[in-house]
Amino acid sequence: GAGVSQSPSNKVTEKGKDVELRCDPISGHTALYWYRQSLGQGLEFLIYFQGNSAPDKSGLPSDRFSAERTGGSVSTLTIQRTQQEDSAVYLCASSLAGQGIYEQYFGPGTRLTVT
Amino acid sequence: SQQGEEDPQALSIQEGENATMNCSYKTSINNLQWYRQNSGRGLVHLILIRSNEREKHSGRLRVTLDTSKKSSSLLITASRAADTASYFCATDAISGAGSYQLTFGKGTKLSVIP
């Protein structure tokens, strides 16, 4: 079946603009995760969804970052007033359930460049 | 913060040789997973080892886990040029919100020379 998909694959934006990144998880996966990968910081957890609710937002770096998930499926990560330090690859992952026994399947990522 | 720390940071070997990568972590875990990443994009899940397991095999991959030393190793036998990639270990920890978020190490960059 189809894997996790993300769009766009690449996004270049000017500093100060808002961006939306989309993630389509694997059908039937109730848990969804957003991670960020940048050169200086490695892979960092951002937010976790179980269904449509986000019980863990502890990794969001600032209040400029927000995310939502609708219908227990598609998720959107929004970054407002982008800054150059937001430049990174944003990765989405889904798993059958939010339990550690299930592997997380990753999408190809969105490479965000803030100029 | 990074929990898993892989070593070496970079490894270059000849095709056919075995490659061993190590991972150390700090806190108790439920499971440890190894992922592979090509060209800085999507991660591919390789293998998951539970905290009560000591060794696991999958094809040319062998993973060991020593919870007393808080360390794991990934062995790739009979390496191929196509194994060239970055390899990450990831530990899961139950956050206060019940999220099994993964904490990744910085990775080992493996180059297999044909």
Side-chain angles (χ1 to χ4, degrees), chain B residues 5-84:
Chain B
E5 293 287 339
E6 291 94 340
D7 79 87
Q9 290 186 343
L11 180 61
S12 184
I13 58 173
Q14 296 289 328
E15 204 166 28
E17 292 180 339
N18 296 341
T20 300
M21 290 160 268
N22 303 297
C23 167
S24 59
Y25 56 92
K26 297 186 177 77
T27 62
S28 296
I29 61 171
N30 298 300
N31 305 297
L32 185 143
Q33 303 182 48
W34 283 90
Y35 285 84
R36 164 198 167 123
Q37 185 178 43
N38 289 77
S39 306
R41 298 306 288 263
L43 287 103
V44 174
H45 182 267
L46 295 176
I47 199 163
L48 178 154
I49 186 166
R50 307 193 198 292
S51 58
N52 62 353
E53 296 176 309
R54 292 296 166 257
E55 188 170 313
K56 203 159 184 181
H57 296 255
S58 176
R60 293 183 297 113
L61 305 180
R62 173 177 167 253
V63 167
T64 61
L65 178 64
D66 187 336
T67 51
S68 66
K69 295 180 180 176
K70 293 188 169 54
S71 68
S72 174
S73 68
L74 170 68
L75 168 68
I76 304 174
T77 59
S79 64
R80 305 166 183 168
D83 295 329
T84 295

Side-chain angles (χ1 to χ4, degrees), chain A residues 9-10 33 35 37 41-43 45 48 55-56 58 89 91 98-101 103-104 106-111, chain B residues 2 30-31 33 35 37 39-45 48 50 88 92 95 97-106:
Chain A
S9 55
N10 286 284
Y33 304 79
Y35 295 86
Q37 186 176 28
Q41 298 297 323
L43 272 150
F45 165 79
Y48 156 66
D56 190 350
S58 61
V89 176
L91 293 161
Q99 297 173 12
I101 58 173
E103 64 188 64
Q104 295 184 17
F106 282 79
T110 293
R111 184 179 298 279
Chain B
Q2 297 290 332
N30 298 300
N31 305 297
Q33 303 182 48
Y35 285 84
Q37 185 178 43
S39 306
R41 298 306 288 263
L43 287 103
V44 174
H45 182 267
L48 178 154
R50 307 193 198 292
F88 295 86
D92 68 336
S95 74
S99 158
Y100 283 76
Q101 57 174 278
L102 293 176
T103 304
F104 287 85
K106 289 186 175 4

Side-chain angles (χ1 to χ4, degrees), chain A residues 47-106:
Chain A
I47 187 170
Y48 156 66
F49 285 92
Q50 180 58 44
N52 290 338
S53 63
D56 190 350
K57 305 178 184 179
S58 61
L60 294 179
S62 76
D63 59 8
R64 296 187 294 105
F65 287 71
S66 63
E68 64 175 14
R69 188 178 184 194
T70 55
S73 181
V74 172
S75 176
T76 303
L77 177 69
T78 302
I79 309 172
Q80 295 178 308
R81 304 181 304 281
T82 52
Q83 304 293 313
Q84 285 184 332
E85 63 261 27
D86 299 334
S87 295
V89 176
Y90 290 82
L91 293 161
C92 173
S94 70
S95 68
L96 269 174
Q99 297 173 12
I101 58 173
Y102 296 110
E103 64 188 64
Q104 295 184 17
Y105 293 86
F106 282 79

Side-chain angles (χ1 to χ4, degrees), chain A residues 11-23:
Chain A
K11 176 72 177 179
V12 180
T13 190
E14 292 179 355
K15 179 180 168 182
K17 295 279 176 73
D18 297 351
V19 294
E20 281 190 355
L21 312 179
R22 177 187 167 108
C23 171

